[in-house]
Amino acid sequence: MLLKGKVAVVTGGSRGIGFATVKAYLENGASVLFFGSKQETVDAALAKLKAIDASWDVEGQVVNLSDYDAMKAAYTGWANKHGGRLDIAIHNAGISPATKIQDLTVDQFKNTYDVNVTAVFVGCKVATELMRAQGDGGVILNTASYTAAYGAPTGCDYPSSKGAVHTLTRGLARELGPDGIRVCAVAPGVTRTDMVASLPQEWIKPLEAKAPLKKLVEPEDIANAFLFLGSDMAKSVTGVTLHVDAGGTNY
Ligand code: NAD
């Protein structure tokens, strides 16, 4: 058990990569509060987890992730249930609208940044406040994307927002290192989730073929990266964006 007794929060935990990460964290002894965008998907995810192990310490909530006060209340409430601790905060929720630039409105662009960047910033800020107060640091992990390095065929909002996640992570690692707070990101390659199922398959198939390992990434592969980075096995690792992409640098 890599995370025995650790207290964690995970945004975008109701499905896909986030759900796999919540499950991996619970299996490894953590207490987890996760967030989703709809109450019914949060409830469904909770039911799935409780069916695996009813004793797992897990709760789910729907919160506006870019609302500082709401996030502060949610993270603090979970910490207060666990002796005031927050050990690991994972900011994973994201959207990928894939809209061509001629159709992409300024409001849509801002909305992508609200979910993919502002919400990550707010989560990092709230987590920092709690982790500084507990005095012995913590770990903040964010979900970036391979598209930050390679772009995407359409939807310039998404790769650029993930580039911001990468540099936000890097900057905060420098700023928060002296407080004992590690800050890292995981950059998934094309991962078999609902988000990818909703993209045009003519994009996806060639990427699978081009990846050196000739496969898509599974949500559990990303969860394992979050497990490593959140654990003491990574105690000297900060500021990195770990690419988990079947070697997809050739995408
Ligand atoms: P998904 O669509 O299956 O799940 C997204 C999660 O984010 C869900 O839990 C959803 O409830 C939550 N979410 C979305 N919008 C939200 C909002 N406005 N408010 C609150 N929660 C919201 O996606 P996924 O494929 O599991 O992706 C997870 C993360 O990984 C995202 O940040 C995504 O950009 C990133 N990523 C995914 C891939 C991939 O190939 N699947 C590749 C690179 C990066």
Side-chain angles (χ1 to χ4, degrees):
M1 288 225 182
L2 285 174
L3 302 176
K4 198 163 173 39
K6 298 287 184 188
V7 181
V9 292
V10 180
T11 72
S14 58
R15 63 182 210 181
I17 288 168
F19 181 81
T21 303
V22 171
K23 182 167 168 282
Y25 269 48
L26 291 166
E27 284 166 345
N28 278 275
S31 297
V32 184
L33 170 64
F34 72 88
F35 301 91
S37 49
K38 290 189 203 123
Q39 194 59 53
E40 56 269 31
T41 52
V42 166
D43 291 343
L46 261 182
K48 263 197 221 171
L49 294 165
K50 288 288 188 183
I52 300 168
D53 189 336
S55 73
W56 278 346
D57 182 18
V58 56
E59 289 183 16
Q61 283 185 20
V62 177
V63 164
N64 179 349
L65 302 177
S66 57
D67 178 334
Y68 172 82
D69 292 332
M71 288 286 276
K72 181 91 184 188
Y75 281 28
T76 305
W78 188 241
N80 286 345
K81 277 191 178 174
H82 297 88
R85 289 208 65 83
L86 179 66
D87 298 298
I88 306 161
I90 302 183
H91 306 118
N92 164 76
I95 52 172
S96 176
T99 308
K100 293 185 165 105
I101 191 162
Q102 64 268 26
D103 302 321
L104 185 63
T105 66
V106 173
D107 281 346
Q108 286 169 332
F109 185 90
K110 285 183 179 170
N111 185 54
T112 301
Y113 269 65
D114 192 55
V115 178
N116 291 4
V117 185
T118 307
V120 173
F121 160 71
V122 170
C124 290
K125 184 171 168 67
V126 170
T128 297
E129 288 162 0
L130 289 165
M131 288 171 183
R132 274 190 172 142
Q134 68 197 6
D136 60 349
V139 188
I140 296 174
L141 304 173
N142 302 321
T143 305
S145 167
Y146 71 98
T147 61
Y150 313 122
T154 60
C156 58
D157 50 340
Y158 180 74
S160 61
S161 71
K162 291 299 187 176
V165 171
H166 167 72
T167 45
L168 180 78
T169 299
R170 187 91 198 139
L172 283 178
R174 293 188 68 171
E175 187 174 334
L176 302 180
D179 295 298
I181 300 172
R182 297 191 290 109
V183 190
C184 297
V186 176
V190 184
T191 308
R192 216 184 291 279
T193 66
D194 292 341
M195 177 184 270
V196 162
S198 71
L199 294 174
Q201 288 308 295
E202 65 266 25
W203 289 11
I204 303 306
K205 283 282 166 205
L207 299 182
E208 186 172 355
K210 272 189 198 165
L213 293 181
K214 304 289 174 211
K215 60 175 189 173
L216 298 187
V217 177
E218 301 299 329
E220 292 71 23
D221 300 332
I222 309 300
N224 284 336
F226 278 126
L227 191 55
F228 164 68
L229 289 171
S231 77
D232 286 345
M233 289 183 75
K235 67 181 171 28
S236 299
V237 181
T238 196
V240 301
T241 293
L242 178 56
H243 288 259
V244 181
D245 59 5
T249 40
N250 291 334
Y251 282 158

